[in-house]
Amino acid sequence: MNLTHPLLDLNGDKLREECGVFGAINAADASAVTALGLHALQHRGQEAAGITSFDGAQFFSLRGNGHVAENFSSSEAIAELPGFMAAGHVRYSTTGGSGLRNVQPLYADLAAGGFAVAHNGNISNARTLREELVGRGSIFQSTSDTEVIIHLVATSRYPTITDRLVDALRLVEGAYSLIVMTPAGMIACRDPLGIRPLVMGQLGDATIFASESVAFDTIGAKLIREVEPGELVQVDFDGKITSLRPFGSHAPRPCIFEHVYFSRPDSIFAGRSVYSARKAIGQQLAIESPAEVDLVVPVPDSGVPAAIGYAQESGVPFELGIIRSHYVGRTFIQPSDGARHSGVKRKHNANRSLVEGKRIVLIDDSIVRGTTSLKIVEMMREAGASEVHFRVASPPTAHSCFYGVDTPERSKLLAAQMEVEPMREFIRADSLAFVSIDGLYRAVGESERKSGCPQFCDACFTGDYPTSLTDQTGGDLKTPQFAFDKAG
Ligand code: SF4
């Protein structure tokens, strides 16, 4: 085996969405529907999955490490989760560690009854809140930031669960898309800026919630609308749907990286097809940073729509210069210690006969640490490409995310360390360019980024964080990030 031309895993150097959530109420087979929905959200978290169901009297939970299919594809597993309401979660382990006790939905028996919660996002003052709660006698079962919400609900003095939840969220800053189950029904809510996504759908008499619309496609449900930023949608067992907006009105700041990379291309995010947005980013990139080349080559799979857009705009042929093996799993046995320690997974290979002697432009969605970009440029040169240009379908990622996305420390982000020309030298490309921030906004349907009031969260590009970051900067808990109204 030729180890000097290793096959690369090109997904090893990406920002990773940490979670996906799904909920179904008034569905005859709620846990089976939830398992299918979670399966469509698998790309949002692959380390663990969980489902909690409710049969009108009792809550049932099944949680496990690994993929959804490993935990929920058997009829025995679904039989352990009876009832007409269920919520599920897929996760990475970055916030709170990887133990099973952190796998969601989290569940607690409160004075008012059972309370289960599935959370996508990150509470950016969780540590500070936790210290306060522990100081007041709360005993935490997990290290997940989501458990803070449960303790805040448990200790709230408001009479109803909904008012308690709103009271709890008054103190929470950061990003949250939540699906909550109580003996009275389901509550889905999104933080006041709508940083993380959450959509609402319908399947017969059932109301469905999910991180992405693609989960509805897989179960044959209809997309109704987004849960709006700052909205709580309550659904009871008679199918009555109540919308509450207890947090006042704020200009939304949904995560623009959902368009760049996180969401599946067949999802609709912020009212726009993710696939079309990615293609439009590629077109914008071609307008801003053309390259005199023979082929446009996507870095698979996430670079494909942008590369199609780049090729269509520039008139240069789109070709698959990198081929991904679909048969390399996590258990693949490396042939030698040397290969294992290189950290290289044997997943991608150069299409040598295509690229040999050609000038190519590689299109990728982002550069994080830059180490994979360097390997892929080298792989193309080793395969005989005469010139290797690199175009990136997002601005330089120079800041960490604190809203539920696994980002390396800022010191590990290549763009935090150097300007574009030194980055080009680092990855050894003949040229390197990123789409501009205004170009990105144009591609997702805006005329430009409004600098005083940006339409999206773009903090990992700009450093312009839309909320306070108390755990990072310190802060006064008595000063919530927004003015909140009482629930009702
Ligand atoms: S910082 Fe970046 S990844 Fe995080 S929510 Fe904002 S845009 Fe998304």
Side-chain angles (χ1 to χ4, degrees), residues 60-325:
F60 304 85
S61 259
L62 199 55
R63 303 179 295 170
N65 290 317
H67 288 188
V68 177
E70 291 166 44
N71 290 289
F72 297 108
S73 52
S74 72
S75 51
E76 290 82 6
I78 297 302
E80 285 184 45
L81 297 162
F84 40 82
M85 176 169 76
H89 191 265
V90 288
R91 81 185 298 259
Y92 282 114
S93 63
T94 319
T95 306
S98 59
L100 207 53
R101 66 192 174 139
N102 288 320
V103 178
Q104 298 191 22
L106 298 184
Y107 176 81
D109 275 312
L110 305 184
F115 185 92
V117 58
H119 171 207
N120 174 208
N122 188 54
I123 297 169
S124 54
N125 62 342
R127 196 186 63 227
T128 313
L129 287 170
R130 189 186 178 98
E131 282 166 11
E132 285 230 338
L133 285 160
V134 168
R136 284 194 262 133
S138 292
I139 299 169
F140 279 74
Q141 304 292 318
S142 75
T143 52
S144 160
D145 62 333
T146 309
E147 196 183 345
V148 165
I149 294 173
I150 293 179
H151 285 274
L152 289 173
V153 170
T155 53
S156 169
R157 291 167 183 246
Y158 281 89
T160 71
I161 275 287
T162 306
D163 281 353
R164 284 169 169 241
L165 180 60
V166 171
D167 188 36
L169 297 177
R170 283 178 184 168
L171 288 174
V172 165
E173 68 183 29
Y176 52 85
S177 283
L178 301 175
I179 296 179
V180 170
M181 293 197 300
T182 76
M186 183 168 276
I187 303 170
C189 68
R190 220 167 149 200
D191 67 75
L193 302 181
I195 296 175
R196 299 259 69 85
L198 191 62
V199 286
M200 181 172 160
Q202 192 181 355
L203 178 67
D205 292 335
T207 303
I208 316 282
F209 298 97
S211 295
E212 288 183 40
S213 64
V214 68
F216 298 161
D217 298 341
T218 58
I219 58 169
K222 188 173 140 205
L223 171 65
I224 303 293
R225 64 177 178 86
E226 291 201 359
V227 175
E228 298 293 332
E231 182 183 15
L232 274 80
V233 181
Q234 254 180 322
V235 188
D236 70 16
F237 297 123
D238 294 324
K240 185 176 161 217
I241 299 174
T242 311
S243 166
L244 307 173
R245 292 173 190 273
F247 304 136
S249 166
H250 303 275
R253 299 282 297 274
C255 166
I256 205 165
F257 225 111
E258 293 285 346
H259 269 318
V260 170
Y261 176 68
F262 301 140
S263 286
R264 258 176 59 161
D266 42 349
S267 279
I268 307 289
F269 173 65
R272 191 175 169 89
S273 147
V274 173
Y275 181 82
S276 319
R278 285 185 192 159
K279 254 179 76 178
I281 299 171
Q283 286 165 333
Q284 191 63 39
L285 195 49
I287 293 166
E288 293 179 1
S289 303
E292 288 226 351
V293 290
D294 305 308
L295 302 175
V296 175
V297 172
V299 175
D301 293 326
S302 52
V304 170
I308 292 171
Y310 193 99
Q312 288 179 353
E313 182 65 35
S314 61
V316 176
F318 167 97
E319 295 285 0
L320 298 179
I322 302 166
I323 305 298
R324 178 163 82 95
S325 167

Side-chain angles (χ1 to χ4, degrees), residues 15 195-196 255-257 262 400-401 403 405 457-460:
L15 300 192
I195 296 175
R196 299 259 69 85
C255 166
I256 205 165
F257 225 111
F262 301 140
S400 298
C401 175
Y403 301 125
V405 170
C457 176
D458 53 22
C460 48

